[in-house]
Amino acid sequence: MIETTPEDRRHLKTRTKLVHAGRHPSDQHGFVNTPVYRGSTVLFPTVEAFSKRTARFTYATQGTPTTAALETAWTELSGAAGTVLAPSGLAAITLALFAAVKAGDHILVTDAVYRPSRIFCDTVLRRMGVETTYYDPALGAAIESLIRPNTSVIFVETPGSQTFEVQDVPAIAELARAKKLCLILDNTWATPLLFPPHTRGADMAVEAGTKYLGGHSDLLIGLVSANADWFPRLRATFDAFSMCAGPEDVFLSLRGLRTLELRLKEAERQALDLARWLAARKEVAQVLHPAFPSCPGHIYWKRDFLGSSGLFSVLLQPCSPAALAAMLDGLKLFGMGFSWGGFESLVIPFDCRSYRSVTEWDPPGPALRFSVGLEDIEDLKADLDAGFARLRSTA
Ligand SMILES: *Cc1c(COP(=O)(O)O)cnc(C)c1O
């Protein structure tokens, strides 16, 4: 058997890439997977090697064979020039922003952004002299009116990971290119399999690998891929911070990568089934799933995405807090907790009224976000059906 080269893999289908990218059995005594390289020190054989630093690996903060395997695979999968790894999805977002801004800059961030990203902009970036303007995620090219002479970044998250507005990325990308702004995309919901970030115009794309890449709720990792214009700056910023992902989490991410497409396809199938079932319930006022016409920006999802994943929200008809608690507290299969993309189903109530700043969030009743796992869908429906019965019988 001959190992595939990056050039070979460029011509392979995604599923085959997922199996082969980032594996070098010949460097690992024939073992199929790259093991966890633990370490700090890397030894140099001679003074010359030490002073020239020409070795592939020189110190573990800069990378190991394990991190290099995941970086390479993600770069190929994303159609990027390069990738760096961070210890969490949020760390990946802060790294991408730090790579792109300087004191005195102004940045544009979607109002539907993941809330901890907003907190970073409003605290750390503000202290560093970077001002943030939030924009309505429904704006495409009309974002132009918000651009100032010192604007440097447009930050996109599509769909928003609670409220699911899908953005017109190609229109925003065209504007960013014309105005020489850096377009950063939080692509966690879609992954590169459902939204190839760089061919859609992102300069840097962030993935919280904690979600679907890991897939088992047992790790934290973030990935930032960048195109050729931005990778040198991203890599230099990564090196300056030395904010490394844990070796075990990198190994588990490589393992998750091999089955990513299978798990995503099943998440898509299960979530569409459950969302359809929820849409028909009288307790549900609106389904916010990008594949449904009831979701804001559905037309952009239809035009630009290659599928949907397993995370979506619903807006319930008005009910009391006690009725909602009766529904959720008694669920046996849906856990309540942050994060998503694991094998197990989750549900959380959410209310973004207190932190949205430029768009109104005024649902008829409580909002619930579902992450649909790999359980039998009929068991999941029965758990929710019993929950809705508790909701209806509680005042
Ligand atoms: C979870 C999440 C993150 C952050 O990932 P962590 O690994 O939990 O820090 C970033 N963006 C989105 C859209 C997320 O859902």
Side-chain angles (χ1 to χ4, degrees), residues 87-93 113-117 155 157 159-162 186-189 206-211 219-222 311 338-340 369:
S88 70
L90 184 58
I93 290 166
V113 76
Y114 176 64
R115 193 182 181 197
S117 305
F155 191 99
E157 181 181 319
S161 57
Q162 281 189 322
D186 184 335
N187 200 32
T188 302
W189 182 84
V206 174
E207 182 78 24
T210 306
K211 313 292 166 53
L219 64 84
L220 292 167
I221 201 164
L311 188 79
F338 294 114
S339 205
W340 45 274
R369 187 184 74 179

Side-chain angles (χ1 to χ4, degrees), residues 43-54:
L43 300 176
F44 300 87
T46 61
V47 170
E48 192 193 356
F50 181 78
S51 47
K52 287 193 175 152
R53 305 268 200 285
T54 47

Side-chain angles (χ1 to χ4, degrees), residues 301-367:
W301 173 81
K302 215 168 152 174
R303 185 190 64 190
D304 300 334
F305 285 68
L306 305 171
S308 54
S309 63
L311 188 79
F312 67 94
S313 292
V314 301
L315 307 180
L316 299 182
Q317 300 288 0
C319 70
S320 70
L324 183 71
M327 174 185 179
L328 299 182
D329 291 352
L331 293 173
K332 293 192 170 166
L333 302 182
F334 284 86
M336 215 181 330
F338 294 114
S339 205
W340 45 274
F343 56 81
E344 83 292 12
S345 291
L346 298 173
V347 62
I348 52 166
F350 68 91
D351 183 353
C352 28
R353 248 173 304 202
S354 67
Y355 48 88
R356 285 243 172 176
S357 53
V358 295
T359 50
E360 203 179 339
W361 175 251
D362 191 20

